[in-house]
Amino acid sequence: MVPNVETGCKALIKLTENTDSRHRSTTELMRRLWREHIRHFTGWLMLAILLMAVMASATAFSAWLMKPVVNDVFIDRNQDLLWPIGLAVLATFLIKGFANYGQAMLMNFVGLQIIADTQNRLYAHLAHMDLAFFHARSSGTLISRFTNDINQMRNAVSNAITSIGKDFLSLIGLVVVMFIQDWHLALIAFFIFPVAIFPIVRIGRRIRKVTTNTQEEMGLFTTLLGQTFQGIRIVKSYGMETYESGRIAEIVERIRRLNMKAARTQMLTSPIMETLGGLAVFAVIIYGGSRVIEGETDSGAFFSFITALLMAYEPMKRLANLNAGLQQGLASAERLYALLGVKPRITDRANARALTNVVGAIRLDDVRFFYEPNKPALDGVTIDVPAGKTVALVGPSGAGKSTILNLIPRFYDIDSGIITIDGIDIRDVKMESVQANIALVSQEITLFDDTVAANIAYGRGGASQDEVIKAARHAAADEFIEQLSSGYDTIVGEQGIKLSGGQRQRLAIARAMLKNAPMLLLDEATSALDTESERKVQTALSELMRGRTTLVIAHRLSTVVDADLIYVIVQGRVVEKGTHAELLARRGAYKRLYVMQFEEETSGQPLVAAVEA
């Protein structure tokens, strides 16, 4: 009889249940695994278990065949039964082989589908998290969830179902054969094995703890590798290869020790099962041999029993190791579900509507924002950006200028005050519609390991090649792109490593131009350009900004002298506002900043701007 998949999972839950909180957690995890992953493949799993049942029956039948082989062929020397018994053995192994192939293919299909579905679900979940979530977690830790954790979980599910379907059914079939051949010997053989349950459960608990620690270290390892590979220029320029190799060696050693501890713990099941197996075979040989000698049973039945007992040893050993492997997978599932359980702090309100017919008037009214408690990054900031106008934010580093830009697309949510677009609170509209109407060029350029054309067209699905080229020309990028090995089809490398800083900046500007949004946010958009390229890009930006709402952050004040309005931000507050001419006439913070920057440019020596004074 083929067991139901859900019944099998419930059996596993019973196997791992206990009264303490840890094992109540294990029970919950098993139920969640069933509910969210396994039950969607019930049909495929039932077919796989049916094939496992065929395989188990063939295994048991091959053990039973030892009786006629010994009695009829070797002892009675019955020529008529030689071929039928031989063909029966051959057919049994053929059936067993094909059934094993079928169930293995089905289990791999289910396992790989679980990996794909879980990875897609996890990425979709993380893609909607806010920036604060990613700033609080290393990229390596998140990547580890996609690779190590999900694979461990898949292996646990596959091994658990396979052990229930194949090993458990094979064991049942072989036990039946043993009881048919000699129930006295069967009772003696299986009286010993329940003793193994307690140490095996204890081993499983230790494995789960070690696995959790190992996965955490793997996340740190992935993060460190990513950081050193991306920053390899800095590593080499400062001669830090030996230092970084030492850091890698330390974490590799910690991972090795944890893996060794896990292997050492898991392998404890081997001497336990070998010892108990040896005791069982010893008892069977002594007691069963005496029964054969005394004529109480025949040699065929005894050899059939011994064959079944020896064949039962492997599935029994795999079942003994099942708990350890299961705990490894559950440790990964626990980490995965904890991540899936994190909710984004910035979400659309229930009644949020789409932002349509955008003119682009932006207003921040008495906005306060904190990255850390009691340390306001913005302290009562009020800024008006009229529709179609260009407004510049200037001030010293760390004053809060980039924070203002990050609040408008709702990368973060304000702590108090209000931000509106066309008079509508951005918290009352869908974030997607807000961000769709904003083009952002940041000083931190992000390019993907794809073609130049794909990077320019990013965020503008369906853009034609002509539109991409036009945007590149406006961004003064077309000339250098044409000189690349494959032109617009050139792969730029990770983070655009194959391009110079100025080239990367111009691709980012071309991307914003192609998006053609009514609102532009420019954060040091020309900071990495040489004088000639900056002049070209400024001309293109001037054309692009015409008729659009533009909020600009600029270090070089010469780039914002034509802005309609300039706000001077110092320590999270607006200290001055006006046109370039008006602010110079006031002889305040802006005047001091302008004079010092002019002196720095003419002297070639950097000066510390005391704008706060």
Side-chain angles (χ1 to χ4, degrees), residues 102-325:
Q103 67 84 20
M105 290 299 295
L106 288 170
M107 290 306 300
N108 272 286
F109 166 77
V110 171
L112 292 173
Q113 192 62 51
I114 286 175
I115 287 179
D117 291 347
T118 307
Q119 287 175 332
N120 288 333
R121 177 186 172 192
L122 181 59
Y123 185 83
H125 175 74
L126 295 182
H128 289 88
M129 299 301 293
D130 48 76
L131 286 184
F133 170 87
F134 292 99
H135 291 166
R137 293 163 177 82
S138 67
S139 59
T141 299
L142 297 177
I143 292 171
S144 179
R145 301 292 195 277
F146 282 91
T147 53
N148 298 326
D149 286 335
I150 291 178
N151 274 294
Q152 288 269 26
M153 189 182 75
R154 173 248 177 156
N155 290 336
V157 171
S158 297
N159 292 340
I161 294 175
T162 301
S163 289
I164 288 177
K166 184 172 71 174
D167 297 329
F168 183 70
L169 290 178
S170 295
L171 185 60
I172 293 297
L174 292 167
V175 169
V176 169
V177 170
M178 284 186 269
F179 272 93
I180 289 174
Q181 303 298 5
D182 194 321
W183 65 272
H184 296 93
L185 289 178
L187 288 177
I188 291 173
F190 285 95
F191 178 77
I192 298 171
F193 286 99
V195 178
I197 292 176
F198 299 104
I200 286 172
V201 170
R202 187 178 180 87
I203 287 170
R205 292 177 184 172
R206 293 177 63 185
I207 284 289
R208 183 164 170 182
K209 182 179 179 180
V210 173
T211 299
T212 299
N213 294 335
T214 304
Q215 298 292 64
E216 292 292 344
E217 292 290 347
M218 285 299 299
L220 295 175
F221 182 52
T222 306
T223 299
L224 187 56
L225 286 176
Q227 289 176 348
T228 54
F229 290 154
Q230 288 183 10
I232 194 65
R233 288 179 178 174
I234 300 298
V235 173
K236 287 185 171 296
S237 64
Y238 282 87
M240 297 297 287
E241 294 93 338
T242 303
Y243 171 75
E244 294 296 345
S245 296
R247 293 174 68 196
I248 292 291
E250 286 179 9
I251 195 168
V252 166
E253 177 61 18
R254 291 201 299 270
I255 293 172
R256 185 196 68 80
R257 288 178 180 175
L258 286 168
N259 282 328
M260 195 65 211
K261 185 176 181 181
R264 189 167 55 245
T265 303
Q266 188 168 358
M267 289 303 105
L268 285 174
T269 58
S270 181
I272 293 172
M273 295 305 298
E274 294 287 352
T275 301
L276 294 175
L279 286 173
V281 173
F282 168 77
V284 165
I285 290 175
I286 298 299
Y287 181 69
S290 64
R291 284 169 58 80
V292 171
I293 293 171
E294 294 172 4
E296 296 179 11
T297 186
D298 57 65
S299 299
F302 177 73
F303 276 103
S304 177
F305 182 93
I306 285 290
T307 301
L309 178 61
L310 294 176
M311 292 177 73
Y313 175 70
E314 283 302 321
M316 191 177 297
K317 189 164 66 172
R318 285 193 291 269
L319 286 170
N321 286 320
L322 172 62
N323 189 48

Side-chain angles (χ1 to χ4, degrees), residues 376-537:
L378 297 179
D379 192 3
V381 169
T382 297
I383 292 175
D384 268 309
V385 187
K389 301 296 183 180
T390 297
V391 173
L393 304 178
V394 301
S397 298
K401 304 184 299 296
S402 294
T403 297
I404 292 172
L405 257 63
N406 286 329
L407 292 176
I408 295 171
R410 287 193 73 191
F411 295 154
Y412 299 92
D413 259 351
I414 58 177
D415 292 294
S416 65
I418 187 172
I419 299 177
T420 63
I421 294 177
D422 296 343
I424 303 171
D425 189 337
I426 59 173
R427 291 169 294 189
D428 291 332
V429 294
K430 295 181 178 179
M431 282 188 293
E432 182 181 6
S433 66
V434 173
Q435 293 161 4
N437 285 282
I438 294 174
L440 171 66
V441 179
S442 172
Q443 57 187 326
E444 298 175 0
I445 302 303
T446 298
L447 295 179
F448 300 95
D449 192 10
D450 206 336
T451 65
V452 169
N455 273 284
I456 295 175
Y458 190 80
R460 172 79 185 277
S464 68
Q465 185 75 0
D466 288 340
E467 290 175 313
V468 170
I469 294 173
K470 184 179 179 181
R473 285 174 180 164
H474 281 306
D478 181 62
E479 183 178 350
F480 85 78
I481 293 173
E482 292 293 348
Q483 294 176 357
L484 297 175
S485 58
S486 301
Y488 283 84
D489 293 326
T490 302
I491 302 295
V492 302
E494 187 176 5
Q495 290 295 337
I497 192 67
K498 297 179 181 179
L499 305 177
S500 70
Q503 290 172 338
R504 292 197 295 269
Q505 193 86 37
R506 279 180 274 175
L507 288 190
I509 293 171
R511 179 191 297 163
M513 288 178 169
L514 184 60
K515 188 174 183 181
N516 198 25
M519 293 176 286
L520 300 174
L521 303 180
L522 306 177
D523 186 358
E524 304 283 5
T526 61
S527 61
L529 301 181
D530 54 54
T531 303
E532 182 180 355
S533 295
E534 182 182 3
R535 187 163 48 248
K536 293 178 181 179
V537 171

